[in-house]
Amino acid sequence: MVLITMAPSMHEFSAPLLSSATSSRSCSISSTSSEADDNSPPTSHRFELRDVATTYEFSCKSLAVLSGHIGSVSCLALCGEFILSASQGKDIIVWQQPDLRQFTKFGQGDGSVKALVAVGNKVFTAHQDSKIRVWKVSTSSENVFKLINTLPTTKDYLGKFMKQSNYVQTRRHHKRLWIEHADSISCLAVYNGLVYSGSWDKTLKVWRISDLKCLESIKAHDDAINSLVACKGIVYSASADGKIKAWGKHGNTSHSLQGILEGHKDVSLNSVTVSEDGKWVYGGGSDGYIMGWEGNANFISWKLVSETRAHHMAVLCMCLMGEVLCSGSADKTIGIWKREAYGKLCKIGVINGHQGPIKCLQASPCNVGNGFLLYSGGLDKTVRVWWVPKRFAI
């Protein structure tokens, strides 16, 4: 059964997206009663967070609670007019905008869905069974999301299984083809015609979208890879070994290590995100800190510029929208941060609402009433939709 909880009615946003959006719960740890300003949706809450240097007012709004998953929500992705949410229960729900009602469901395979990305008319889903599934999106077909392949493809297997040099040791007395992941695939990223997959088997694999062929397998880390992001020709992998590694590719060459961004000792890095210009890289750790690095003009070196105690428990996910960084945590809250001079983060507010740890965040690039939509998925099996401002009054 699918349940969509919408708050009481309110005036429409100035943008057409989610024109039926509504007001709702408190969004911060501290609030002061006040009239909403002209640039914010009506009946929202405003918050004043005082800092030594700057005082900001923060107003946000809870728009909807989407229920329907049978397991914890593990990942989110935008796909054209749809929002996709996947869960530990193997199901992927397609929510249609602007009314955020369930459009369809799809999913197949053993093990939960750990990650998903959409590119063009394809959706790639990564699973606990070490496979990547490829779905074709066709709104003209009755079966909108149709399974068309599984990675590695049968063609890839047949081209490699006869040659012993294509096998690698994965565990004691156990070998696999180098094109196969040996453990759960935890994350995916897309860039410039390539799909990148990171796994608990510590490897980073590179797949070509055009023919779904595996091009590379990189022994990337000393522990599980938890997160991937790609920007400006650099792929960043965050790992439980406490490092973010930057991988670059020049022309037709293979990917090579460009740099290592060191986190705190003995602390897993669970998430990595990067600014649109590629200059600022942020990593979220199991100790609740967000660490920031500044990259040089050529993206060949990075220096640590900020260490922020963001949460009382582990940072599990992050996303950036312009100068606004959002962080989801095991403490059940979403932190809202403004990137300031030299990459430092200033706390703007805290969003409450989830009844369990927040596993995934997805920001929508569409401008909605001088703000943006933020989707959050948690271990409470719900997807929540928030309106977050892009500008903050001082």
Side-chain angles (χ1 to χ4, degrees), residues 166-244:
N166 286 324
Y167 289 82
V168 294
Q169 192 87 31
T170 56
R171 293 189 298 272
R172 190 178 181 186
H173 306 308
H174 191 81
K175 289 186 175 183
R176 281 178 179 257
L177 288 172
W178 65 266
I179 60 175
E180 298 178 272
H181 277 297
D183 209 332
S184 295
I185 302 172
S186 54
C187 46
L188 296 170
V190 176
Y191 186 79
N192 197 27
L194 301 174
V195 172
Y196 299 86
S197 59
S199 169
W200 291 354
D201 68 8
K202 312 172 190 176
T203 68
L204 170 65
K205 296 191 190 298
V206 185
W207 313 81
R208 189 164 53 207
I209 293 174
S210 60
D211 59 3
L212 304 179
K213 183 179 181 179
C214 186
L215 302 179
E216 296 179 60
S217 181
I218 304 165
K219 176 64 171 66
H221 288 273
D222 296 324
D223 209 331
I225 299 175
N226 295 323
S227 180
L228 290 172
V229 67
C231 182
K232 300 294 182 182
I234 302 293
V235 181
Y236 299 90
S237 57
S239 169
D241 65 11
K243 298 179 178 69
I244 294 173

Side-chain angles (χ1 to χ4, degrees), residues 120-131:
N121 67 338
K122 291 185 176 68
V123 173
F124 294 81
T125 59
H127 297 255
Q128 192 169 345
D129 64 2
S130 309
K131 298 283 195 275

Side-chain angles (χ1 to χ4, degrees), residues 13-15 17 38-41 366-372 387-390:
F13 281 115
S14 58
L17 187 63
D38 294 335
N39 294 325
S40 301
C366 298
N367 189 61
V368 181
N370 294 323
F372 64 92
W387 177 87
V388 179
K390 286 183 178 179

Side-chain angles (χ1 to χ4, degrees), residues 39-50:
N39 294 325
S40 301
T43 69
S44 65
H45 302 273
R46 291 176 66 182
F47 307 91
E48 295 182 5
L49 290 99
R50 290 177 171 80

Side-chain angles (χ1 to χ4, degrees), residues 27 31 39 89 136 153 174 179 187 191 198 224 227 253 277 280 314 333 335:
C27 298
S31 65
N39 294 325
K136 185 178 180 181
T153 63
H174 191 81
I179 60 175
C187 46
Y191 186 79
S227 180
T253 62
D277 60 5
W280 310 103
T333 68

Side-chain angles (χ1 to χ4, degrees), residues 257-279:
L257 184 64
Q258 303 295 300
I260 299 176
L261 290 62
E262 294 273 358
H264 291 157
K265 186 178 180 182
D266 300 324
V267 172
S268 171
L269 285 172
N270 300 321
S271 180
V272 60
T273 190
V274 61
S275 61
E276 287 184 19
D277 60 5
K279 185 176 181 180

